[in-house]
Amino acid sequence: MEYISTRGRAPALDFEGVTLAGLASDGGLYLPREWPRFTEAEITAMAGLPYAELAAKVMAPFVGDSLTQDELLALCRQAYGRFSHDAVTPLVELNERQWLLELFHGPTLAFKDVALQLLGLLFETFLSRRKSSLTIIGATSGDTGSAAIDAVAGREGVEIFMLHPNGRVSDVQRRQMTTVRAPNVHNIAIDGSFDDAQAMVKRMFADQTMTSRFNIGAVNSINWARLMAQVVYYFASALQLGAPNRQVAFSVPTGNFGDVFAGYVAAQMGLPIKQLIVATNINDILHRALSDGDYSAGTVTPTAAPSMDIQVSSNFERLLFDCGGRDGAALAEQMHGFEAKKAMQLTNAQREGAARLFTSARTDPDEMSRSIRWAYDHAGQVLDPHTAIGLHAALASDLDPAVPIVTLATAHPAKFPDAVERATGIRPALPARVGDLFAREEVFAELPGEYEAVREFVSAHAEPSR
Ligand SMILES: *Cc1c(COP(=O)(O)O)cnc(C)c1O
């Protein structure tokens, strides 16, 4: 399988290449040159497979020759063996129509683990083969950071620098990052928002004084391998609900558009997805873009669902490319315009292409609390704020009631205990697998929201590349 950049000017790479590269050298994002497609019979044959085996089957066309089928299966077994539920991503019934897909049974309690546990192993495998090393630079609104750090802590050949917006992630999220003691882990709190942190990371990828000294890699969802791993649970849940003979819809709490884009990929591969509901909080750039074509970044308002407090959704570029005729030069111009003005209009082709599968909904803080309450009262389920936003959008859907709607449960409620307690009166307890999180010592650097300060810190602490 060959991968091409959304901006048309970076070299095509194989799977190993895109996994290690992260962002493309022209500032674009990598996508497969074409979508692999399963037949109905092939999808039917996937029903009932254990998660790791299903994962290896679904990902095989994307991995191509970079790993043998046996190697891929072994990595999947290792990655998903660390989950605390045998089904890895269990599906829970709320009522005859509404379902929850629990994606938080990994080591750091959010769906990011599903992809990052595998990505950590892919890095180690490819780097040892090439006898090289990788300096990972990432920005997190909370959950990516902890999941990425858990996935690479102590691994050979990889070093990680993780930026988070100071004071804007939950205590559990911050402690899951800052209490990990491994020489290859560096945490940085910067003044500013997640978008500011992400912009610095993007700038570092384009900074030749850095890229000439360090082999810089990404764990944000700009890394294709993450999206690929997330495609698997769309298959797992739809198969349980009767696919390929029945259509299924998904409601996805969305920030950087990675998780819901994986659903789009699943649909391109032949999974019968009726609709993907992009659920946003009041930071609603995606809702505005999908409902009236207005992709313009406002200022970020902090909410109880911090992983969705985003105004620039990196992966949306992948959809705009795929729906807009895959014209890299035109998209590069459109994105440069957006980067300059923080605003752009979608083209008609992009709007029509997106509307075939996507719809969107915006949920305010009161509606979010009511949704947590609804799940508790009607189904005895305690939801985290992100999941509650997804469920609110699912309950408001005007789809044919015969189509089941699966809401992606993206985080464990104990990651956000205050919001859950306000809505239900119950303070969810942390599962035993996170250990003595609140007793361990935290270590992190605090830096101003300036690119130069971050660059200096990384230069001073990173090992030059092998
Ligand atoms: C990351 C995250 C999201 C948003 O996912 P994207 O792939 O960035 O759209 C939603 N909920 C939780 C709990 C998350 O950690």
Side-chain angles (χ1 to χ4, degrees), residues 110-112 141-144 173 221 226-227 230 252-260 307-308 310 315 384 386-387 410-411 416:
F111 83 90
K112 310 290 201 291
S141 53
D143 297 325
T144 293
Q173 288 179 317
S221 52
R226 271 188 63 181
L227 303 194
Q230 291 169 197
V252 186
T254 296
N256 224 358
F257 207 75
D259 210 5
V260 75
S307 297
M308 297 161 67
I310 285 175
N315 284 293
D384 97 284
H386 304 78
T387 306
T410 51
F416 306 94

Side-chain angles (χ1 to χ4, degrees), residues 134-138 145 148-149 152-153 158-162 184-187 219:
L134 194 64
T135 302
I136 292 166
I137 313 283
I149 287 170
V152 308
V158 199
E159 188 170 30
I160 186 164
F161 290 82
M162 186 53 64
N184 65 338
V185 170
H186 307 271
N187 278 289
V219 286

Side-chain angles (χ1 to χ4, degrees), residues 379-392:
Q381 292 288 324
V382 180
L383 305 189
D384 97 284
H386 304 78
T387 306
I389 289 168
L391 180 63
H392 178 260

Side-chain angles (χ1 to χ4, degrees), residues 305-380:
S307 297
M308 297 161 67
D309 290 345
I310 285 175
Q311 285 284 358
V312 180
S313 291
S314 301
N315 284 293
F316 199 51
E317 177 167 342
R318 288 189 157 110
L319 181 71
L320 297 180
F321 177 72
D322 205 47
C323 286
R326 289 196 156 222
D327 180 342
L331 187 70
E333 200 179 305
Q334 193 181 16
M335 295 309 301
H336 289 143
F338 175 74
E339 279 152 19
K341 296 199 205 97
K342 298 283 165 243
M344 70 187 190
Q345 282 296 314
L346 270 50
T347 66
N348 285 340
Q350 288 166 338
R351 288 184 67 175
E352 283 159 20
R356 270 184 236 124
L357 203 53
F358 290 93
T359 178
S360 64
R362 169 195 200 268
T363 297
D364 71 26
D366 283 346
E367 292 166 328
M368 186 275 288
S369 283
R370 283 209 299 278
S371 168
I372 295 183
R373 187 79 229 174
W374 184 93
Y376 188 61
D377 290 346
H378 289 83

Side-chain angles (χ1 to χ4, degrees), residues 24-99:
S25 59
D26 58 2
L29 305 176
Y30 276 109
L31 273 185
R33 193 181 282 288
E34 69 265 329
W35 298 117
R37 211 175 157 84
F38 294 120
T39 63
E40 247 185 71
E42 285 169 326
I43 295 174
T44 302
M46 293 175 185
L49 288 178
Y51 192 89
E53 285 178 38
L54 175 69
K57 278 233 153 41
V58 171
M59 295 191 286
F62 296 118
V63 170
D65 300 333
S66 293
L67 295 169
T68 66
Q69 194 59 24
D70 285 349
E71 287 170 324
L72 176 59
L73 181 58
L75 293 182
C76 290
R77 289 207 167 115
Q78 194 182 341
Y80 300 119
R82 287 197 66 199
F83 281 63
S84 66
H85 197 289
D86 287 342
V88 181
T89 61
L91 188 63
V92 174
E93 185 172 3
L94 293 177
N95 64 25
E96 60 289 343
R97 182 181 195 197
Q98 303 286 346
W99 300 76

